[in-house]
Structures are given as C-alpha cells and as structure tokens.
Amino acid sequence: MVKTPDELALMRVSGKLLASVFEMLDEQDLVGQSTLQINDLVDRFISVDLAARPASKGQYGFKHALNCSINHVVCHGIPDPNEIIRDGDIVNFDITLEKNGFIADSSKTYLVGNAAPAARKLVRVAQEAMWQGIRQVRPGAHIGDIGHAIERHAKKHGYVIVREYCGHGIGRDMHEEPQVLNFGRPGSGVKLREGMVFTVEPMVNQGTRKVATAEDGWTVVTTDGKLSAQFEHTVAVTKAGVDVLTLRRDERTLLMAG
C-alpha cells in the first residue's frame, strides 16, 4: 500500500495530467452534446495531447475512456451517442489516466446551464463532503475518520451516502488496498502511513441510499429516481498531511477552507 518517493513522483505526473483533462472540460459547453461526444473528446485529449492512456478503456471489459452519470445515475454510466446532455442536468464525469505505469483517478459533477437550486445544493454538498474526508488524511489517522467526516457532512444537509461503492488504493493497478469507505467510525480501520495513495470519492443521494444496476451490467441508478452527485480525487499521505494529486487550478483554496 505504501509507495516509494520515486513512485509518488510518477503518480504526481499522472495526477497533474488528469487534472488538466477536467480543466479542458471546464471550458466546454456541454448542452446539446452527447455523452459519447464528450467521451471521444476526452479520449483524444488524453491519448494525443497528453500522450497518456485512458486507463478505464479496456478495464474489466469497459470500452470507453470515461463514465458519464446524469441526474439519477449514481455511477458507471456508459457513453451513448443518443444520450444528450441538456440544460438543467447534473452530469458526473469519472476519468482515469495512466502515464509511466501509474494511474490517477478523479471525477467531478458538472452543473449544466440553469440547474435547479436543489440540484445545485446537492452538488455543492457532495463536493464539500469529499473535502471533509480529504482533510482527515494524515499519518496516524484512520480510514474510518475519512468516512465518518464524509457521512456526517452529508447527513447534516439531509442527504445520504451510497454504501455499495467506495474509494480505493491506486497505483500501478486501478484498484488496490485499502478500501476507503464513505462512512465509518472515528479511529476505526486501517491506520494511514506516509506514502499511501488512494481515492476519496463519496456518492451523495437526495433520497434513498438504495441503488440498482441496469440491464447493461454497468449503469447504477437511484431506486427512487432522485438525483445523485459524486466527486473524487486521488490523494497521497505525506509527512505533513495530504497531497491531492489530481487537484485542479480552481480548487487550490479548497483544501484548507472550511
């Protein structure tokens, strides 16, 4: 679970490149585009502009460079030429990138056009919940501290955490130990050590936490049809606390805020 300084240096490269993918997406007008168009844009940007590899492509038989999850889709949405992003939607793009043998993983939920106030609040709280979890990361802390902080923040605002999916260790492989649950008890679980690298990725629902998988075997949805939002970063435990490897330019002030 612990990376060497040289491995961490390579992971920082992958993380910085992945952050640039989201910075590119931030400049796109998503309204009217299909989710497959966004997938193809990201695929080309990673492969051509960044000379890297979309790590999700071919993983577990998945054929695309990203997952795209709109509104009531919790995670693992499949890019589709017939699925059009519309004004008022919320859409999560979950993207992985491999460079020099090491993988970074991140996701962001976008507010599309004139999203309703309730949708805006959900997205804001989901992002805040992720940061509440990340702020717990330091040597000597425990995995349970992360999950407890995430769920406490979501509950405070009247939302629930999806329990079937969680963060995970990452490095040469997409999914490594430890599992990073988005709920838990303070002081429980694996003790964090300098050099550990993992993702923090809460999925926050408006209504029930119950989810179901569609017939395609991938797409996970809320069972009540209400909205779900997710944010994710790849983080490393450092001597001083935490290094967010996939941090974007627009987030520089968020780590220490609140």
Side-chain angles (χ1 to χ4, degrees), residues 49-64:
D49 296 67
L50 302 181
R53 181 178 70 86
S56 297
K57 201 172 181 180
Q59 181 89 0
Y60 309 126
F62 193 71
K63 298 178 181 179
H64 302 283

PDB file of all heavy atoms in Angstrom, residues 49-64:
ATOM      1  N   ASP A  49      -3.045  14.717 -26.989  1.00  0.00           N
ATOM      2  CA  ASP A  49      -2.483  15.938 -26.379  1.00  0.00           C
ATOM      3  C   ASP A  49      -1.561  15.620 -25.204  1.00  0.00           C
ATOM      4  O   ASP A  49      -0.535  16.290 -25.025  1.00  0.00           O
ATOM      5  CB  ASP A  49      -3.603  16.865 -25.920  1.00  0.00           C
ATOM      6  CG  ASP A  49      -4.447  17.383 -27.071  1.00  0.00           C
ATOM      7  OD1 ASP A  49      -5.153  16.577 -27.706  1.00  0.00           O
ATOM      8  OD2 ASP A  49      -4.398  18.581 -27.354  1.00  0.00           O
ATOM      9  N   LEU A  50      -1.937  14.632 -24.403  1.00  0.00           N
ATOM     10  CA  LEU A  50      -1.163  14.332 -23.198  1.00  0.00           C
ATOM     11  C   LEU A  50      -0.237  13.135 -23.356  1.00  0.00           C
ATOM     12  O   LEU A  50       0.559  12.851 -22.456  1.00  0.00           O
ATOM     13  CB  LEU A  50      -2.113  14.098 -22.021  1.00  0.00           C
ATOM     14  CG  LEU A  50      -3.073  15.238 -21.678  1.00  0.00           C
ATOM     15  CD1 LEU A  50      -3.936  14.862 -20.482  1.00  0.00           C
ATOM     16  CD2 LEU A  50      -2.316  16.537 -21.413  1.00  0.00           C
ATOM     17  N   ALA A  51      -0.325  12.434 -24.488  1.00  0.00           N
ATOM     18  CA  ALA A  51       0.499  11.241 -24.729  1.00  0.00           C
ATOM     19  C   ALA A  51       0.424  10.263 -23.553  1.00  0.00           C
ATOM     20  O   ALA A  51       1.429   9.713 -23.099  1.00  0.00           O
ATOM     21  CB  ALA A  51       1.951  11.647 -25.005  1.00  0.00           C
ATOM     22  N   ALA A  52      -0.804  10.064 -23.068  1.00  0.00           N
ATOM     23  CA  ALA A  52      -1.048   9.156 -21.954  1.00  0.00           C
ATOM     24  C   ALA A  52      -2.095   8.128 -22.388  1.00  0.00           C
ATOM     25  O   ALA A  52      -2.493   8.085 -23.554  1.00  0.00           O
ATOM     26  CB  ALA A  52      -1.503   9.939 -20.728  1.00  0.00           C
ATOM     27  N   ARG A  53      -2.551   7.321 -21.449  1.00  0.00           N
ATOM     28  CA  ARG A  53      -3.527   6.274 -21.769  1.00  0.00           C
ATOM     29  C   ARG A  53      -4.782   6.442 -20.926  1.00  0.00           C
ATOM     30  O   ARG A  53      -4.686   6.607 -19.702  1.00  0.00           O
ATOM     31  CB  ARG A  53      -2.923   4.902 -21.493  1.00  0.00           C
ATOM     32  CG  ARG A  53      -3.852   3.727 -21.818  1.00  0.00           C
ATOM     33  CD  ARG A  53      -3.166   2.393 -21.566  1.00  0.00           C
ATOM     34  NE  ARG A  53      -2.955   2.125 -20.153  1.00  0.00           N
ATOM     35  CZ  ARG A  53      -3.852   1.561 -19.342  1.00  0.00           C
ATOM     36  NH1 ARG A  53      -5.052   1.220 -19.808  1.00  0.00           N
ATOM     37  NH2 ARG A  53      -3.561   1.335 -18.075  1.00  0.00           N
ATOM     38  N   PRO A  54      -5.976   6.404 -21.558  1.00  0.00           N
ATOM     39  CA  PRO A  54      -7.213   6.374 -20.771  1.00  0.00           C
ATOM     40  C   PRO A  54      -7.307   5.018 -20.071  1.00  0.00           C
ATOM     41  O   PRO A  54      -7.575   4.002 -20.704  1.00  0.00           O
ATOM     42  CB  PRO A  54      -8.325   6.540 -21.818  1.00  0.00           C
ATOM     43  CG  PRO A  54      -7.633   6.920 -23.096  1.00  0.00           C
ATOM     44  CD  PRO A  54      -6.244   6.386 -23.006  1.00  0.00           C
ATOM     45  N   ALA A  55      -7.080   5.001 -18.763  1.00  0.00           N
ATOM     46  CA  ALA A  55      -6.907   3.726 -18.058  1.00  0.00           C
ATOM     47  C   ALA A  55      -8.194   2.924 -17.931  1.00  0.00           C
ATOM     48  O   ALA A  55      -8.144   1.706 -17.714  1.00  0.00           O
ATOM     49  CB  ALA A  55      -6.316   3.987 -16.670  1.00  0.00           C
ATOM     50  N   SER A  56      -9.350   3.578 -18.061  1.00  0.00           N
ATOM     51  CA  SER A  56     -10.614   2.841 -17.963  1.00  0.00           C
ATOM     52  C   SER A  56     -10.908   2.032 -19.218  1.00  0.00           C
ATOM     53  O   SER A  56     -11.675   1.068 -19.174  1.00  0.00           O
ATOM     54  CB  SER A  56     -11.772   3.810 -17.705  1.00  0.00           C
ATOM     55  OG  SER A  56     -11.606   4.469 -16.476  1.00  0.00           O
ATOM     56  N   LYS A  57     -10.318   2.439 -20.328  1.00  0.00           N
ATOM     57  CA  LYS A  57     -10.597   1.796 -21.613  1.00  0.00           C
ATOM     58  C   LYS A  57     -10.002   0.393 -21.610  1.00  0.00           C
ATOM     59  O   LYS A  57      -8.793   0.207 -21.518  1.00  0.00           O
ATOM     60  CB  LYS A  57      -9.989   2.643 -22.735  1.00  0.00           C
ATOM     61  CG  LYS A  57     -10.586   2.404 -24.095  1.00  0.00           C
ATOM     62  CD  LYS A  57     -10.040   3.446 -25.073  1.00  0.00           C
ATOM     63  CE  LYS A  57     -10.627   3.259 -26.439  1.00  0.00           C
ATOM     64  NZ  LYS A  57     -10.103   4.275 -27.372  1.00  0.00           N
ATOM     65  N   GLY A  58     -10.881  -0.607 -21.687  1.00  0.00           N
ATOM     66  CA  GLY A  58     -10.443  -1.995 -21.649  1.00  0.00           C
ATOM     67  C   GLY A  58     -10.417  -2.596 -20.256  1.00  0.00           C
ATOM     68  O   GLY A  58     -10.254  -3.814 -20.113  1.00  0.00           O
ATOM     69  N   GLN A  59     -10.589  -1.765 -19.226  1.00  0.00           N
ATOM     70  CA  GLN A  59     -10.595  -2.265 -17.849  1.00  0.00           C
ATOM     71  C   GLN A  59     -11.900  -3.012 -17.584  1.00  0.00           C
ATOM     72  O   GLN A  59     -12.989  -2.461 -17.755  1.00  0.00           O
ATOM     73  CB  GLN A  59     -10.458  -1.079 -16.883  1.00  0.00           C
ATOM     74  CG  GLN A  59     -10.437  -1.463 -15.424  1.00  0.00           C
ATOM     75  CD  GLN A  59      -9.049  -1.764 -14.913  1.00  0.00           C
ATOM     76  OE1 GLN A  59      -8.071  -1.685 -15.638  1.00  0.00           O
ATOM     77  NE2 GLN A  59      -8.950  -2.105 -13.651  1.00  0.00           N
ATOM     78  N   TYR A  60     -11.800  -4.258 -17.158  1.00  0.00           N
ATOM     79  CA  TYR A  60     -12.979  -5.087 -16.864  1.00  0.00           C
ATOM     80  C   TYR A  60     -13.933  -5.179 -18.064  1.00  0.00           C
ATOM     81  O   TYR A  60     -15.142  -5.328 -17.896  1.00  0.00           O
ATOM     82  CB  TYR A  60     -13.755  -4.535 -15.658  1.00  0.00           C
ATOM     83  CG  TYR A  60     -12.895  -4.275 -14.443  1.00  0.00           C
ATOM     84  CD1 TYR A  60     -12.893  -3.022 -13.828  1.00  0.00           C
ATOM     85  CD2 TYR A  60     -12.071  -5.271 -13.911  1.00  0.00           C
ATOM     86  CE1 TYR A  60     -12.099  -2.774 -12.715  1.00  0.00           C
ATOM     87  CE2 TYR A  60     -11.281  -5.026 -12.802  1.00  0.00           C
ATOM     88  CZ  TYR A  60     -11.297  -3.772 -12.207  1.00  0.00           C
ATOM     89  OH  TYR A  60     -10.504  -3.533 -11.111  1.00  0.00           O
ATOM     90  N   GLY A  61     -13.391  -5.032 -19.268  1.00  0.00           N
ATOM     91  CA  GLY A  61     -14.212  -5.111 -20.460  1.00  0.00           C
ATOM     92  C   GLY A  61     -14.926  -3.825 -20.827  1.00  0.00           C
ATOM     93  O   GLY A  61     -15.703  -3.803 -21.806  1.00  0.00           O
ATOM     94  N   PHE A  62     -14.674  -2.736 -20.104  1.00  0.00           N
ATOM     95  CA  PHE A  62     -15.309  -1.451 -20.412  1.00  0.00           C
ATOM     96  C   PHE A  62     -14.651  -0.867 -21.662  1.00  0.00           C
ATOM     97  O   PHE A  62     -13.428  -0.908 -21.807  1.00  0.00           O
ATOM     98  CB  PHE A  62     -15.147  -0.493 -19.235  1.00  0.00           C
ATOM     99  CG  PHE A  62     -15.997   0.732 -19.305  1.00  0.00           C
ATOM    100  CD1 PHE A  62     -17.370   0.658 -19.136  1.00  0.00           C
ATOM    101  CD2 PHE A  62     -15.428   1.977 -19.538  1.00  0.00           C
ATOM    102  CE1 PHE A  62     -18.161   1.789 -19.185  1.00  0.00           C
ATOM    103  CE2 PHE A  62     -16.207   3.116 -19.595  1.00  0.00           C
ATOM    104  CZ  PHE A  62     -17.577   3.025 -19.420  1.00  0.00           C
ATOM    105  N   LYS A  63     -15.450  -0.290 -22.565  1.00  0.00           N
ATOM    106  CA  LYS A  63     -14.944   0.101 -23.878  1.00  0.00           C
ATOM    107  C   LYS A  63     -14.618   1.586 -24.017  1.00  0.00           C
ATOM    108  O   LYS A  63     -14.171   2.008 -25.078  1.00  0.00           O
ATOM    109  CB  LYS A  63     -15.974  -0.274 -24.948  1.00  0.00           C
ATOM    110  CG  LYS A  63     -16.253  -1.768 -25.046  1.00  0.00           C
ATOM    111  CD  LYS A  63     -17.304  -2.056 -26.096  1.00  0.00           C
ATOM    112  CE  LYS A  63     -17.597  -3.554 -26.180  1.00  0.00           C
ATOM    113  NZ  LYS A  63     -18.644  -3.849 -27.193  1.00  0.00           N
ATOM    114  N   HIS A  64     -14.821   2.366 -22.964  1.00  0.00           N
ATOM    115  CA  HIS A  64     -14.746   3.816 -23.122  1.00  0.00           C
ATOM    116  C   HIS A  64     -13.713   4.448 -22.197  1.00  0.00           C
ATOM    117  O   HIS A  64     -13.192   3.814 -21.279  1.00  0.00           O
ATOM    118  CB  HIS A  64     -16.125   4.423 -22.882  1.00  0.00           C
ATOM    119  CG  HIS A  64     -17.174   3.879 -23.805  1.00  0.00           C
ATOM    120  ND1 HIS A  64     -17.285   4.273 -25.119  1.00  0.00           N
ATOM    121  CD2 HIS A  64     -18.136   2.940 -23.611  1.00  0.00           C
ATOM    122  CE1 HIS A  64     -18.283   3.624 -25.690  1.00  0.00           C
ATOM    123  NE2 HIS A  64     -18.814   2.800 -24.808  1.00  0.00           N
TER     124      HIS A  64
END
